[in-house]
Amino acid sequence: MNGLGNPAREINKSLGKVEIANLSNFKPLPVEQEDHPGDDFTPAILRLINRAFKHDKSVVLLSRKNNLPWYINYGEKRHKRRGQLGNFLELLRSKFPETLRGKINISTTHKYKGLEKEIVIVLDAVPRSYPLLHPDLMFTFALGSSIEGAGDEERRLFYVTLTRAVEHLFILTETNNISPFVEDLQRRINLPLLDWSAYDPVVEKTRRITVKVTNQNGGSSNGTFTIRELLRSEGYEWDSRLKTWWRNYSAQNFSVQLFFANTQWISHANGIQLKFYDDLEKMLASYVINRGQQSYIFDNFPAQISQK
């Protein structure tokens, strides 16, 4: 690769898919925020690994250093006697079945020379990782010095990182904190941005069902307005942006049949559409209510949870 030094060795002649995974564009779902308080990095990586597993692929996570530049909430799983990379690997593996845990590995770039993996995630494409220089030297870039002045070894290591992926390479960075090596690469090659919404979150089990109440499409706008006080009295909240009333229910023993039997505002509703969502914001069912009578558009609740 022109300008990036000499590679350790050629892995394959054809380039796989390469994407920039910008953490600044990642918006964790409420369930991810609950699982990883204050930590956006871990749920983002879990999404990438989850996609790899769905395609029966193995993953390696590469870091320039033995520690990571992101905040990670280890909860009660951290063992202080181990290095941070080992802690992070243990945390990630704990979120998947034992049969899949061996398909996740982590390494420093130095130790991964000459190796390859189907999916590679570069964890730290940010300044002070690529290149890894004394902080004072970063001022030379601000004063106009070219990035070409960085040591050849740093460029070679970055090249090693980029050439370890057989099929798919993710380069993790964030807006306003991008490695100058990545910026240089972007000037040479058009690198697409990853769409985080296309990657499913990792959730151990469904904890809540969200019920959303709206007016039927093409119907009167008075449907929800008429029953607004009844909705409020039953714990529903108004989302002015989406123009929707919503409420969370525990998923444990949740049943659509029992929901309709126990919900008092149903008998007063007309021109209403009800939608049921899981923690991943996947729609499980949709019903319409006219003159207090409900009928389903579709209902994909598991049989043991819901019966039509």
Side-chain angles (χ1 to χ4, degrees):
M1 187 176 293
N2 185 26
L4 292 178
N6 297 319
R9 72 177 177 90
E10 186 177 40
I11 292 294
N12 54 355
K13 293 183 179 180
S14 61
L15 292 177
K17 187 174 183 179
V18 181
E19 290 183 281
I20 299 292
N22 190 333
L23 269 180
S24 299
N25 298 335
F26 176 69
K27 306 300 179 186
L29 294 179
V31 66
E32 292 176 298
Q33 294 173 339
E34 184 178 311
D35 285 345
H36 310 278
D39 174 6
D40 290 353
F41 177 67
T42 300
I45 298 302
L46 286 171
R47 288 196 189 193
L48 301 181
I49 295 172
N50 191 40
R51 169 64 71 87
F53 285 171
K54 287 183 177 181
H55 292 85
D56 195 28
K57 305 298 181 182
S58 297
V59 182
V60 67
L61 315 174
L62 295 183
S63 172
R64 176 65 181 87
K65 299 180 288 186
N66 285 311
N67 50 66
L68 295 165
W70 319 101
Y71 170 71
I72 300 169
N73 189 335
Y74 290 99
E76 299 178 354
K77 297 183 180 295
R78 185 172 186 177
H79 300 295
K80 294 182 179 180
R81 67 180 183 274
R82 303 181 62 184
Q84 191 181 30
L85 293 187
N87 288 334
F88 189 52
L89 178 61
E90 181 179 343
L91 176 64
L92 296 174
R93 285 178 170 175
S94 71
K95 303 300 181 181
F96 295 97
E98 289 188 17
T99 54
L100 295 175
R101 293 175 184 177
K103 300 182 73 171
I104 315 169
N105 285 288
I106 196 166
S107 174
T108 61
T109 306
H110 263 298
K111 293 181 179 179
Y112 215 70
K113 286 183 178 180
L115 302 175
E116 64 181 4
K117 193 69 71 176
E118 293 164 315
I119 310 295
V120 172
I121 303 173
V122 179
L123 296 174
D124 54 350
V126 295
R128 302 190 183 181
S129 286
Y130 294 101
L132 180 59
L133 300 172
H134 190 281
D136 291 345
L137 294 181
M138 296 303 292
F139 288 111
T140 62
F141 302 135
L143 295 174
S145 296
S146 170
I147 192 60
E148 299 298 332
D152 289 341
E153 177 63 16
E154 290 299 312
R155 285 186 170 277
R156 281 194 289 270
L157 281 172
F158 187 61
Y159 181 89
V160 167
T161 306
L162 300 183
T163 56
R164 300 308 95 186
V166 176
E167 297 183 15
H168 203 149
L169 172 69
F170 298 98
I171 303 175
L172 204 78
T173 188
E174 63 180 349
T175 303
N176 300 325
N177 194 33
I178 302 176
S179 163
F181 289 161
V182 175
E183 292 179 326
D184 188 47
L185 189 63
Q186 288 178 310
R187 286 190 286 268
R188 302 163 185 262
I189 305 173
N190 181 25
L191 297 176
L193 279 174
L194 179 141
D195 179 7
W196 289 107
S197 66
Y199 289 73
D200 293 333
V202 175
V203 178
E204 295 180 5
K205 64 178 180 179
T206 300
R207 302 173 193 169
R208 64 179 67 87
I209 301 296
T210 300
V211 179
K212 297 185 179 181
V213 183
T214 61
N215 296 313
Q216 292 179 27
N217 291 334
S220 170
S221 61
N222 293 326
T224 56
F225 183 81
T226 302
I227 60 172
R228 67 190 185 283
E229 294 302 329
L230 292 172
L231 290 168
R232 189 176 288 114
S233 68
E234 293 192 24
Y236 285 79
E237 298 183 29
W238 172 247
D239 186 327
S240 59
R241 183 177 64 87
L242 298 178
K243 299 187 182 304
T244 298
W245 289 90
W246 66 274
R247 177 185 167 180
N248 289 328
Y249 291 83
S250 171
Q252 185 175 6
N253 300 321
F254 185 89
S255 160
V256 170
Q257 185 178 25
L258 289 175
F259 169 83
F260 283 117
N262 297 328
T263 303
Q264 297 182 12
W265 60 263
I266 295 292
S267 60
H268 301 273
N270 185 45
I272 295 296
Q273 183 162 13
L274 269 176
K275 296 179 181 180
F276 299 81
Y277 296 84
D278 65 11
D279 286 320
L280 305 185
E281 298 187 353
K282 175 184 177 182
M283 192 189 303
L284 300 176
S286 179
Y287 284 73
V288 293
I289 304 173
N290 293 300
R291 298 180 180 180
Q293 300 295 317
Q294 72 268 10
S295 57
Y296 71 87
I297 299 175
F298 72 89
D299 189 335
N300 291 334
F301 269 92
Q304 66 271 24
I305 296 179
S306 172
Q307 296 180 355
K308 290 184 281 203

